[in-house]
Amino acid sequence: MTSLAVLSVASEVYPLVKTGGLADVVAALPQALAAEDVPVCTLVPGYVAVLAALEDGAEVHRFADLYGGPARLLRGRAAGLDLMVLDAPHLYSRPGGPYQDPSGRDWPDNAWRFAALARAGAEVALGRAGAYVPDLVQAHDWQTGLLPAYLHAEGGPPTVMTAHNLAFQGIFPAPVFGTLGLPPSAWSIDGVEYYGSVGYLKAGIALADAVTTVSPSYAAEIRTAAGGMGLDGLLRKRGERLLGILNGIDTAVWDPETDTALPACYSAARPAGRTLSKVALQARLGLDVQPNALLYGVISRLTWQKGLDLLLEALPTLLGTGAQLAVLGTGEPALQAGFAAAAQAHPGRVGCVIGYDEKLAHLIQAGVDALLVPSRFEPCGLTQLCALRYGALPVVARVGGLADTVVDANEMAAAAGVGTGVLFAPPSRDMLEAALLRTARLWGDRELWRRLQRNAMRTDVSWKRPAARYAALFRDLLASRAA
Ligand code: ADP
Ligand code: GLC
């Protein structure tokens, strides 16, 4: 097996910049691909936090003018990764998030901030950034969707477009097209044009050699009008060149046997530390300290996608079974207010932290009995994978990657010794309530619960299998090019 060098291009990387699971994937997949003899170099924008973390950054390329100012590419290491960083202060050196200003509005020049990232990726792929020339390019999400378009027009190695969430497509007004440096022929239904606008993700899906998304079920859902968010026709057209490859998690970052965020470590064989985590979590969130109360957790962006309005509606049912709820999340003001109000209305029973807190996320995974993910759609989802590893049974909607990663503990599954959680469908208040009642019944049989917990903790949620699938796809694409 020969080594295959991949340039991975993305707008987030854990722990330097993260708004969601994309950052986790971009950080963890390279480590797993290394074991497949696929060395990965990761190109990210030079946000302040990225430049501050970069070690031994050496300049490998200069742009006299990249959308309004000079820029350069630096190569170095950070967060254990081989990083390429696009240092362009006029585009990335700002307060606020990677896509939004401090007040939460999208930066008005996002079209160019991410066209620049794609352009930089193309320069590297075309061998113009020093000695490093990748054999293949993986572009993540709309922020890099133009990269397959540039390489389609200019040559270069094969490209894989990985779509993590079709809800975010990078759609900009038609006049943006003239500023992108693409040939006029790219303005077509087979290129970047999308219902009269410019579609960055659409361009990547249309022009990459292959398209992947992050679970087999989501790959099937997005081929339908109901799940395709306007892209289903194009996605169907990609045929076998659209694949769903499940995400894994970084099993070193998420390891209850070594986790320093917990009051005590634990394992399936020695679960005592789990009870200590539960008590610590209850105390931290102002919940009644009751080891025997069924404690649910939520760790999530608070958005429509995640179905958490359904949970607010189902809350009386949850509390009616005697259970407790711990929520950590940030997002839409109405949902933030809804959970804050629920905590006020039910002291000791509902605890809520509005904000982003990695350490608390670990304590919740270790301390709750079950993790709720009632998403309306979910490309993969990572929190249910962490929950499996930490022995929190996932109670999840049967959609996308949630359907692919949790085994419903129905009677037959329990008899066969394979259940790991509770699934419900469709994502509605009624079916969520039914799932809460079913979960309470399972909790009532503590011996069965412990068996399910052990099944969950035995599940392989690592990147090993997914990385082998990516490596196989990459090798296949290179072989097709050579043929
Ligand atoms: P998405 O990317 O759609 O938000 P995922 O489940 O794929 O959903 O990834 C979410 C990631 O963000 C997980 O690593 C999860 O632990 C983390 N996360 C989400 N909300 C918070 C929060 N409020 N505090 C800490 N971590 C969070
Ligand atoms: C997106 C999806 C989530 C997925 C993550 C990483 O943010 O919403 O389901 O796990 O990307 O692929």
Side-chain angles (χ1 to χ4, degrees):
M1 205 166 56
T2 54
S3 173
L4 189 162
V6 169
L7 176 71
S8 166
V9 188
S11 58
E12 300 185 19
V13 59
Y14 171 88
L16 309 178
V17 205
K18 167 166 162 175
T19 70
L22 168 68
D24 297 302
V25 172
V26 169
L29 181 53
Q31 301 172 40
L33 280 172
E36 300 290 330
D37 211 3
V38 176
V40 177
C41 174
T42 305
L43 168 63
V44 291
Y47 308 113
V48 179
V50 172
L51 287 170
L54 190 67
E55 295 156 26
D56 307 323
E59 184 177 301
V60 292
H61 190 64
R62 261 173 196 271
F63 298 86
D65 179 31
L66 189 63
Y67 292 107
R72 53 197 193 135
L73 277 167
L74 305 173
R75 188 162 185 207
R77 294 196 67 83
L81 294 171
D82 174 2
L83 272 200
M84 192 85 83
V85 176
L86 178 57
D87 180 19
H90 61 294
L91 299 175
Y92 306 126
S93 179
R94 303 176 182 185
Y99 319 117
Q100 296 177 332
D101 68 20
S103 73
R105 268 187 301 265
D106 284 354
W107 294 109
D109 57 348
N110 273 349
W112 300 291
R113 294 175 76 228
F114 295 106
L117 181 63
R119 186 65 245 166
E123 295 299 310
V124 178
L126 292 165
R128 298 176 190 154
Y132 176 72
V133 189
D135 297 308
L136 182 142
V137 175
Q138 182 176 20
H140 296 271
D141 272 354
W142 73 263
Q143 293 86 350
T144 64
L146 291 180
L147 182 40
Y150 288 130
L151 295 186
H152 184 82
E154 299 170 38
T159 53
V160 173
M161 182 77 230
T162 299
H164 295 260
N165 192 336
L166 259 53
F168 305 103
Q169 297 189 6
I171 297 170
F172 301 101
V176 165
F177 179 74
T179 69
L180 298 177
L182 284 164
S185 60
W187 183 255
S188 94
I189 191 166
D190 300 316
V192 304
E193 189 270 335
Y194 186 53
Y195 296 113
S197 297
V198 176
Y200 281 21
L201 181 63
K202 188 262 169 164
I205 291 174
L207 298 172
D209 290 78
V211 179
T212 66
T213 186
V214 287
S215 70
S217 285
Y218 191 60
E221 289 166 11
I222 60 179
R223 288 180 162 100
T224 69
M229 299 198 166
L231 289 167
D232 47 294
L234 174 61
L235 288 162
R236 280 194 299 276
K237 220 169 95 184
R238 297 298 330 238
E240 288 182 3
R241 285 300 188 207
L242 165 62
L243 275 83
I245 303 179
L246 270 183
N247 287 333
I249 56 169
D250 186 326
T251 49
V253 172
W254 293 98
D255 183 356
E257 296 194 46
T258 58
D259 195 328
T260 54
L262 313 184
C265 293
Y266 65 93
S267 63
R270 293 191 303 145
R274 215 173 189 287
T275 311
L276 293 176
S277 295
K278 180 169 179 177
V279 168
L281 178 63
Q282 286 172 323
R284 164 100 186 257
L285 292 191
L287 297 166
D288 298 335
V289 176
Q290 291 173 348
N292 277 323
L294 167 56
L295 173 56
Y296 289 100
V298 168
I299 304 162
S300 187
R301 289 187 289 120
L302 303 179
T303 64
W304 184 85
Q305 173 189 343
K306 302 292 178 177
L308 293 164
D309 50 317
L310 306 174
L311 177 58
L312 281 172
E313 291 175 7
L315 195 58
T317 301
L318 183 152
L319 295 172
T321 64
Q324 300 178 336
L325 175 65
V327 177
L328 168 63
T330 165
E332 288 166 13
L335 288 169
Q336 295 190 166
F339 282 105
Q344 280 228 315
H346 305 285
R349 307 288 307 283
V350 178
C352 161
V353 172
I354 300 299
Y356 188 89
D357 186 336
E358 293 273 348
K359 278 190 116 173
L360 181 56
H362 283 244
L363 181 62
I364 292 178
Q365 294 286 13
V368 301
D369 302 298
L371 189 88
L372 281 164
V373 194
S375 304
R376 290 190 168 87
F377 68 94
E378 195 60 73
C380 180
L382 299 177
T383 59
Q384 84 281 9
L385 298 179
C386 301
L388 289 168
R389 183 152 167 87
Y390 276 60
L393 299 193
V395 177
V396 304
R398 191 186 288 281
V399 293
L402 300 172
D404 292 342
T405 53
V406 181
V407 181
D408 185 66
N410 59 34
E411 276 194 41
M412 288 307 210
V418 295
T420 60
V422 173
L423 288 148
F424 64 95
S428 67
R429 172 191 180 160
D430 290 350
M431 295 317 286
L432 171 56
E433 287 178 342
L436 292 168
L437 295 174
R438 198 148 69 85
T439 307
R441 280 200 297 279
L442 292 172
W443 178 249
D445 182 346
R446 222 50 69 81
E447 205 175 302
L448 169 61
W449 189 277
R450 272 192 288 274
R451 277 209 304 280
L452 298 174
Q453 210 173 29
R454 278 196 296 273
N455 295 346
M457 294 181 80
R458 263 203 309 267
T459 306
D460 182 2
V461 292
S462 76
W463 273 104
K464 198 169 171 357
R465 259 179 315 170
R469 292 207 57 205
Y470 277 111
L473 169 66
F474 297 162
R475 292 190 199 286
D476 189 34
L477 290 173
L478 273 188
S480 326
R481 273 283 175 101

